[in-house]
Amino acid sequence: VTALAAALPGIDVRAWPDTGEPAAVEYASLWGDAAGDMRRFANLKVLFSLGAGVEHILGNPLRPPDVPVVRLIDPAHRTGMIEYVLMRVLHYHRRMPEYAAQQAQGIWRERSQCAPGDRRVGIMGMGELGTGCAEILVRLGFDVAGWSRSPPTIVGVTGFAGRDALAAFLARTEILVNLLPLTPETVGILDAGTLAMLQKNACLINVGRGRHLVEGDLLAALDSGHLAGATLDVFCTEPLQKDHPFWTHPKVTVTPHIAAMTLLQSAVPAIAENVRRHRAGEPMVGVVDPARGY
Amino acid sequence: VTALAAALPGIDVRAWPDTGEPAAVEYASLWGDAAGDMRRFANLKVLFSLGAGVEHILGNPLRPPDVPVVRLIDPAHRTGMIEYVLMRVLHYHRRMPEYAAQQAQGIWRERSQCAPGDRRVGIMGMGELGTGCAEILVRLGFDVAGWSRSPPTIVGVTGFAGRDALAAFLARTEILVNLLPLTPETVGILDAGTLAMLQKNACLINVGRGRHLVEGDLLAALDSGHLAGATLDVFCTEPLQKDHPFWTHPKVTVTPHIAAMTLLQSAVPAIAENVRRHRAGEPMVGVVDPARGY
């Protein structure tokens, strides 16, 4: 609140629930459903998400339907996501889980290693974040494919578009990165059927949303030996429940939703700039199409 | 041998010890001291190393002193090294050892995370490989410094040159990458004294040579809590002895000298091209200065 107030001189910035007169609230920045029934803010002009995802706003039945929803496009968030995805793609590409198992047994054995050009990485979701990850992976020489609703057109990335192309996309993928937005079409998209389409010994990096993944189906695919590993940063329930099998599964790496961090010093200017644009009648950055969901 | 023979039509390529008449041998490609006394090859024109390092040739007292020594500059080798270094820098930057410890205890807790621009990576050795690593780290936004004999001049990299600058270089370093050549000046350079100059909680990535590091001094620095972690791909004795404390140390990651792999499809053309150049009287690529040691 302090940082936003400093970035928006002349504007009264308050933290919920201390919002004062509801009719005086013009802009809301929110995460989760903390604010409950948003319709009581009768003069709300914009709903800003405090994250890259907006499903928490669009999925709220008490949302005023005609108020524009804007997602956060934060350079630090993008940087963090690229770091995390790159780190884990390299971890699987360079067979680090196998070397860790060897170390635990005191085994010195070189494993065969393919060049990056022979390693097929598949990225689901080619928006701001997926494109950023694809670009750096291409630069490092990986064989990268992207799957999205409309055909991705990034130099060096093999594009797959729409449900009809999903099977072909998965069939070529050894390391799968999920960066889809969560929409009614993508909930549960990573289930037994789609995971079975991946290459044998494929690995999954889920940095989208927990609800993209049917968690029990992933456990079954890991236990059957079809998938070799999974790095999960997002979960159906967060924090991940104390007794969830992911915590102790030898093929699963759990991180507590930290892949991309929202930093005050980059998120606040992004929101402040959109407030300025809105008040000046200029187009805002990151306006969401509610029908599409992202 | 088969691949090299195919790349060098008209040249008789043989595997040691089946070298035939010693006086007929003009070129030798070698690793380690397998060939023993090289002086019996009276007409030897070039000694090619099968790796990026040449200390195994220069350190052989039975080497014919006037025969040029050429190191291997293999694009696949460079790619592999960049992948490995980037992977481990990101691993420490993103606090993965701490998240792994949390996972083992079932703890969901976000840790503070700095932006790459606030993460100081130091690279010792700014040759072919060090420069390649520095470039990609700079591109990802890290605060990179390089230490070498002559001042490194890579855009975006803070250069430190010579012994006098070593303390200042180490004092700013949170993640140290060793890519020095092994020479009489660099043997044992990573000892109690230099490790103590690193930032508290610094991490070491040793991908140079095992003998750059005084292994007992590293263990002491890890156990005292001064250093937070080490990734070691090279060791004083390889394979690493069965009972070496590195295998089981909780802060040490061991890999079996696999950071940069020499691939047949890229190493053979590099050697064949140098043979062609030598026969055509053109300068070879990677000729070593024996006095300098690299």
Side-chain angles (χ1 to χ4, degrees), chain B residues 116-278:
Chain B
D118 295 322
R119 183 69 76 193
R120 282 165 296 180
V121 181
I123 301 177
M124 299 178 84
M126 292 299 282
E128 187 76 15
L129 301 176
T131 301
C133 293
E135 283 168 351
I136 185 82
L137 289 168
V138 166
R139 190 184 148 91
L140 287 169
F142 286 95
D143 183 354
V144 182
W147 182 78
S148 54
R149 192 148 83 161
S150 39
T153 54
I154 293 139
V155 177
V157 174
T158 309
F160 292 84
R163 276 278 171 173
D164 291 347
L166 184 56
F169 165 80
L170 294 170
R172 67 163 322 270
T173 295
E174 295 174 279
I175 301 175
L176 179 66
V177 179
N178 175 42
L179 273 163
L180 287 168
L182 189 68
T183 69
E185 285 76 41
T186 66
V187 167
I189 192 167
L190 298 170
D191 62 7
T194 50
L195 295 176
M197 292 176 192
L198 287 166
Q199 294 237 333
K200 170 133 174 84
N201 289 319
C203 296
L204 169 67
I205 300 168
N206 190 18
V207 281
R209 288 286 181 253
R211 287 173 58 218
H212 284 127
L213 175 67
V214 180
E215 295 182 340
D217 288 1
L218 173 64
L219 286 167
L222 291 166
D223 290 339
S224 76
H226 181 61
L227 295 190
T231 294
L232 307 173
D233 187 53
V234 290
F235 304 90
C236 290
T237 302
E238 296 180 11
L240 186 62
Q241 307 99 288
K242 274 283 175 199
D243 59 349
H244 199 290
F246 284 159
W247 285 116
T248 53
H249 199 288
K251 292 181 175 179
V252 174
T253 298
V254 170
T255 53
H257 205 142
I258 50 85
M261 53 284 184
T262 297
L263 291 186
L264 210 59
Q265 64 258 42
S266 53
V268 163
I271 294 169
E273 167 65 9
N274 268 338
V275 171
R276 187 199 66 72
R277 285 173 177 242
H278 184 264

Side-chain angles (χ1 to χ4, degrees), chain A residues 79-84 86-88 90-94 96 99-100 102-111 113-116 118 135-136 139-140 142 231 233-235 237-240 242 246-249 252-261 263 265, chain B residues 79-84 86-88 90-94 96 99-100 102-111 113-116 118 135-136 139-140 142 231 233-235 237-240 242 246-249 252-261 263 265:
Chain A
T79 298
M81 185 61 83
I82 291 171
E83 286 177 351
Y84 187 97
L86 183 54
M87 168 178 77
R88 297 309 293 183
L90 288 169
H91 189 83
Y92 290 123
H93 167 57
R94 296 306 301 268
M96 289 304 284
Y99 284 121
Q102 288 190 184
Q103 179 176 352
Q105 297 178 271
I107 296 171
W108 179 279
R109 185 192 300 148
E110 180 169 355
R111 303 215 153 234
Q113 178 61 52
C114 72
D118 296 322
E135 283 169 350
I136 185 81
R139 188 183 150 91
L140 288 169
F142 286 94
T231 294
D233 187 53
V234 289
F235 304 90
T237 303
E238 295 179 12
L240 186 62
K242 274 281 173 200
F246 284 159
W247 285 115
T248 53
H249 198 288
V252 174
T253 299
V254 169
T255 53
H257 204 142
I258 52 85
M261 53 285 183
L263 292 186
Q265 64 258 43
Chain B
T79 298
M81 187 59 84
I82 292 171
E83 286 178 352
Y84 187 96
L86 183 55
M87 169 178 77
R88 297 309 292 184
L90 288 169
H91 189 82
Y92 290 125
H93 167 58
R94 296 304 303 267
M96 289 304 283
Y99 284 121
Q102 288 190 182
Q103 179 175 354
Q105 297 179 271
I107 295 172
W108 177 280
R109 185 193 300 147
E110 180 171 353
R111 301 215 155 234
Q113 177 61 54
C114 72
D118 295 322
E135 283 168 351
I136 185 82
R139 190 184 148 91
L140 287 169
F142 286 95
T231 294
D233 187 53
V234 290
F235 304 90
T237 302
E238 296 180 11
L240 186 62
K242 274 283 175 199
F246 284 159
W247 285 116
T248 53
H249 199 288
V252 174
T253 298
V254 170
T255 53
H257 205 142
I258 50 85
M261 53 284 184
L263 291 186
Q265 64 258 42

